[in-house]
Amino acid sequence: MPHEAVNETLYTIAATAKGGRAGHVTSEDGAVDLPLGKPGSKANPRANPESLFAAGFAACFGNALNSIARHQGLDTTESTVTAKVTLGKTDTGVGLAVELEALVPGVDEDTAQALIAAAHQACPYSKATAGNIDVTVTGRAV
C-alpha cells in the first residue's frame, strides 16, 4: 500500500514516556497517565507498549467499521473488536504481529464480512501497519 501524506490535520496528540518499559507514560491532555511494566507480569500487571497499541488498534478499527456501516444505513455500535498484539523474535531482531477479530451483531454473515474487509481498508492503523507487520483480520456476524 503506498504512503498517504496527511494533507489536513484532524487531530494531533503527544505522549511522553520516561523510563522505557518500566517507566511512566503521559499524554499532553492528561487522558493517559499510566505506570508501565514489562509484558507478562502476573503479580503486578501494568500497561505496556503492546497493550496500548492493541487498545488503539481495536478502537480505531471499530470506529472504521461503525463509520462504514453507518454510511450504509446500518447500526453496528454494539460490535466488538479485539486486537491481539504479539511481540516476538524475527530474523533481524524483535517485531510485532496483530490478530484482529471483529464480532458484528445484527447483520448477516456476508454483510459482516464485507464491513470487516472495508474497515481494514479504511482504518488508519491498518493503513499504517500494511506491509510492515503481519496483521490477520477475522470476524463474523453474531
Side-chain angles (χ1 to χ4, degrees):
M1 184 177 280
H3 168 74
E4 287 185 276
V6 171
N7 55 28
E8 179 185 348
T9 300
L10 299 175
Y11 177 70
T12 300
I13 187 70
T16 302
K18 181 178 181 183
R21 288 185 173 276
H24 197 95
V25 65
T26 56
S27 60
E28 67 184 355
D29 62 2
V32 175
D33 188 353
L34 300 169
L36 300 173
K38 292 188 177 183
S41 172
K42 304 254 190 266
N44 188 18
R46 295 189 177 200
N48 60 63
E50 293 74 31
S51 61
L52 296 171
F53 184 61
F57 206 153
C60 189
F61 193 94
N63 190 69
L65 189 143
N66 290 338
S67 178
I68 290 163
R70 188 172 47 256
H71 282 95
Q72 296 178 16
L74 301 170
D75 180 4
T76 58
T77 55
E78 292 300 312
S79 296
T80 61
V81 177
T82 301
K84 180 179 177 183
V85 173
T86 298
L87 174 69
K89 293 182 180 180
T90 68
D91 291 340
T92 60
V94 179
L96 297 173
V98 178
E99 296 175 36
L100 292 170
E101 182 184 38
L103 303 178
V104 188
V107 299
D108 62 56
E109 189 61 33
D110 288 342
T111 301
Q113 292 303 318
L115 290 170
I116 292 164
H120 190 44
Q121 294 300 310
C123 173
Y125 275 59
S126 292
K127 290 178 182 181
T129 58
N132 298 314
I133 65 173
D134 290 334
V135 177
T136 305
V137 181
T138 62
R140 66 183 192 281
V142 291

